[in-house]
Amino acid sequence: MTSFETGSLEEEAIDELDIAPADGWNALYLDGEWVPAGDRDGIDVENPATRRTLTSVPSATEADVDEAFAIAKSAQEDWAERPPQERAAVVSRVRDLVGEYADDLETLFAVECGGVELKAAFETELTQGTMEVGAGLAMRDGGRRTESVTPGKENLLVREPAGVVGVITPWNFPLYLTSRVVAPAIALGNSVVLKPDENTPLTGGLVLASLFEEAGLPDGVLNVVPGYGDEIGDHFSAHPTPSVMSFTGSSEVGRRVGQRAVGQFTEPALELGGNNAHVVLSDADLERAVDAGAFGSFTHQGQECISINRHLVHESLYDEYVAALAERAEELPIGDPREEGVLVGPVVNESQRDKIVGLIEETVEAGATVEVGATVEAGGDHDGLFVEPTVLSGVTNDMPIAANEHFGPVAPVIPFETDEEAVELANDTEYGLSGSVHSADVSRARDVADAMETGMVHINDQPLNDEPHVAFGGVGASGMGRYNDEWILDTLTTLKWISVQREPREYPY
Ligand code: NAD
């Protein structure tokens, strides 16, 4: 089924949704106030399915960033002194509000991000999960007492909040990727300045401000400055105030943000790009591997850091795998995410579309074959952003679609002869985020998983997995540090060694 009835559904007046602030979204959120745009430039929020402008938000200036960090700094200590159960209760209340506003959120995920109903459900569930785990951290300060080599001394390791946390996030799972830092940061007694992506300033930022405000978060603990990365990003990432700079986005920008943060002795936490391989060994169950391959490639139009970027398939299964995957791709209903039953929506913007299409074209020029897809549907009377689910065969690891993170609904399929070659191909990338291996023999799959240089690998599944209580992160150009549960606790707190010399100590002189 293909449905390009874009615009056939009324777009909600998104400034009038129940979740919206009283005067609409055109404001910064500073010190608990919705600060009107004034004479700042605006950022248009566009529905990628219809290309209609839905609303506008202010484009924050460097002075706004300075003000936000100053507010966050002055609010942090009081917040950290609140009892942990009070901090946890605010985050838990936000989790409940996410459920209460699920319909508004589904609308926003569709019209701001191009997310279909299924994606909205995933994102809502993940957001609630990370808030539940994050709230729990308030009670798990993790300090401890240790032995001392000095007679009569007691060693205590005391955990304290890091302080002010700067947060920069992308557009693909904006509410979740923002919440997985903001929720634990706030529960642990930090304050936050958040810069959402310019494509998704609502679900990536202002929505969260609205929810935390309703949940009773004290003024100044969360501040949101929507803005263009290339205008305020450098000022934000090299700001002297924050103790932690959390960045989720591309490796290119992440490297720059990390370097600038370190220049201020601010700890960077970087969750970056991926070039994830879905490895199908010779003894794999073909149907399971294809089901997993379709889900891992086409969910949310392939716009996840942990999507499948390359399918590596044993030569004995190759033709059958390509044919079955192409059949699955062709069946996927494409259209306006608000149409019932649609599974593939638009990609987020023109530059992403052009990048994906350009990589497909260059790969075909290099000798690959389009089995299905590769066309862009206009979606009505506008320049469309619907890239059809695409399967490419005859691909080699060095062709552009495989060598780069394409971030689109594209499945390049690459043949291999031996397990060793599969590992070599999988690892032939600067990234190391996620991956998957299919085999009837779990210990054989384990050997391959062990040899894959990634932060995460899933056996007899696909790479697109995230559980809020399990360590998430990559190696190499995919990032530094781990998110979720106790692993982000280390990032968002600092350990202080306090020793008590209980008996007089004998010094050498
Ligand atoms: P991007 O790096 O272009 O943008 C991400 C954020 O960085 C946005 O908020 C943007 O405004 C900001 N930014 C841009 N220039 C900046 C600068 N000079 N200084 C500071 N901030 C700046 O990434 P994108 O295209 O929005 O997102 C897609 C990328 O994110 C992909 O590479 C994807 O793999 C990655 N990603 C990683 C994870 C993960 O958990 N590892 C999750 C989602 C997305």
Side-chain angles (χ1 to χ4, degrees):
M1 176 187 118
T2 304
S3 159
F4 289 106
E5 294 298 307
T6 51
S8 62
L9 295 167
E10 280 301 307
E11 279 145 329
E12 302 275 345
I14 65 171
D15 283 302
E16 283 151 35
L17 291 171
D18 289 342
I19 201 172
D23 294 324
W25 296 109
N26 196 7
L28 312 169
Y29 187 69
L30 296 175
D31 210 8
E33 299 290 328
W34 293 93
V35 178
D39 57 6
R40 294 173 186 84
D41 291 341
I43 300 175
D44 285 341
V45 179
E46 180 184 289
N47 179 343
T50 63
R51 310 298 308 273
R52 284 203 283 263
T53 298
L54 305 174
T55 191
S56 177
V57 301
S59 175
T61 62
E62 291 186 356
D64 294 324
V65 171
D66 290 342
E67 191 183 345
F69 275 117
I71 292 164
K73 192 169 170 55
S74 67
Q76 192 263 324
E77 272 181 33
D78 280 355
W79 175 240
E81 280 168 14
R82 301 282 182 104
Q85 64 272 27
E86 195 180 320
R87 288 185 262 121
V90 171
V91 176
S92 296
R93 176 77 186 120
V94 177
R95 180 207 54 201
D96 294 345
L97 288 171
V98 168
E100 289 169 28
Y101 287 115
D103 288 348
D104 282 4
L105 288 172
E106 190 182 315
T107 299
L108 288 172
F109 289 140
V111 300
E112 193 187 34
C113 323
V116 302
E117 193 182 338
L118 187 71
K119 188 261 189 184
F122 284 151
E123 186 157 5
T124 303
E125 191 183 318
L126 279 167
T127 301
Q128 289 194 296
T130 202
M131 285 173 174
E132 193 164 332
V133 172
L137 292 179
M139 296 292 190
R140 279 174 48 196
D141 68 3
R144 65 179 210 209
R145 180 185 176 281
T146 71
E147 296 305 322
S148 171
V149 297
T150 307
K153 181 181 284 297
E154 181 183 30
N155 281 330
L156 301 168
L157 288 166
V158 177
R159 216 181 254 284
E160 297 178 342
V164 177
V165 179
V167 182
I168 302 176
T169 47
W171 45 263
N172 55 342
F173 271 69
L175 185 65
Y176 169 59
L177 295 175
T178 301
S179 299
R180 75 176 175 174
V181 190
V182 172
I186 287 179
L188 287 162
N190 299 284
S191 61
V192 173
V193 179
L194 164 64
K195 193 209 84 59
D197 191 281
E198 46 270 43
N199 292 282
T200 51
L202 309 186
T203 48
L206 296 170
V207 159
L208 210 53
S210 175
L211 295 173
F212 270 101
E213 180 181 51
E214 185 168 344
L217 185 72
D219 296 348
V221 179
L222 172 63
N223 305 278
V224 182
V225 285
Y228 288 102
D230 58 6
E231 286 180 9
I232 57 168
D234 276 356
H235 190 70
F236 193 102
S237 60
H239 206 278
T241 302
S243 307
V244 176
M245 183 60 58
S246 162
F247 175 85
T248 306
S250 63
S251 302
E252 187 190 351
V253 177
R255 185 197 300 265
R256 183 178 175 90
V257 168
Q259 282 170 344
R260 293 177 69 78
V262 168
Q264 297 290 345
F265 303 109
T266 300
E267 183 170 335
L270 306 174
E271 290 293 343
L272 310 177
N275 183 347
N276 312 300
H278 179 61
V279 179
V280 182
L281 301 181
S282 57
D283 64 347
D285 176 328
L286 189 82
E287 203 180 320
R288 276 184 72 178
V290 170
D291 281 351
F295 181 83
S297 267
F298 303 126
T299 299
H300 196 43
Q301 298 78 261
Q303 299 172 119
E304 295 102 1
C305 53
I306 47 179
S307 295
I308 299 174
N309 205 64
R310 293 171 293 158
H311 297 242
L312 306 182
V313 180
H314 189 263
E315 56 182 4
S316 63
L317 301 175
Y318 188 84
D319 290 343
E320 241 184 304
Y321 184 93
V322 168
L325 189 65
E327 201 178 308
R328 298 294 307 274
E330 212 162 14
E331 284 168 357
L332 292 172
I334 317 174
D336 189 316
R338 305 194 68 201
E339 297 270 357
E340 214 182 316
V342 162
L343 287 175
V344 178
V347 299
V348 73
N349 59 28
E350 280 175 24
S351 74
Q352 284 298 121
R353 178 200 61 195
D354 294 347
K355 179 180 137 197
I356 298 162
V357 171
L359 287 171
I360 294 172
E361 283 170 3
E362 288 169 33
T363 302
V364 170
E365 272 165 36
T369 303
V370 175
E371 297 288 335
V372 68
T375 54
V376 176
E377 299 289 343
D381 57 356
H382 54 76
D383 194 9
L385 298 180
F386 295 91
V387 180
E388 281 195 324
T390 300
V391 176
L392 297 172
S393 61
V395 180
T396 57
N397 220 32
D398 55 356
M399 288 184 183
I401 201 81
N404 294 282
E405 183 188 39
H406 54 70
F407 228 59
V410 187
V413 193
I414 301 170
F416 67 84
E417 286 177 22
T418 62
D419 292 7
E420 292 70 29
E421 189 193 355
V423 169
E424 219 171 279
L425 290 169
N427 289 343
D428 184 19
T429 167
E430 61 172 342
Y431 296 105
L433 194 55
S434 190
S436 42
V437 190
H438 277 250
S439 169
D441 176 349
V442 170
S443 68
R444 179 178 171 192
R446 262 301 303 269
D447 287 346
V448 171
D450 284 346
M452 283 169 75
E453 292 159 4
T454 59
M456 305 172 280
V457 190
H458 303 282
I459 292 172
N460 290 339
D461 194 4
Q462 43 69 47
L464 187 57
N465 281 278
D466 189 353
E467 299 186 21
H469 63 292
V470 182
F472 184 104
V475 298
S478 291
M480 293 166 67
R482 291 290 178 274
Y483 279 36
N484 294 344
D485 205 24
E486 69 196 70
W487 300 279
I488 198 157
L489 186 139
D490 282 339
T491 304
L492 296 172
T493 57
T494 180
L495 276 180
K496 185 172 192 173
W497 174 22
I498 297 180
S499 81
V500 183
Q501 189 62 39
R502 292 192 176 277
E503 294 161 19
R505 180 172 172 177
E506 282 186 27
Y507 298 103
Y509 62 88

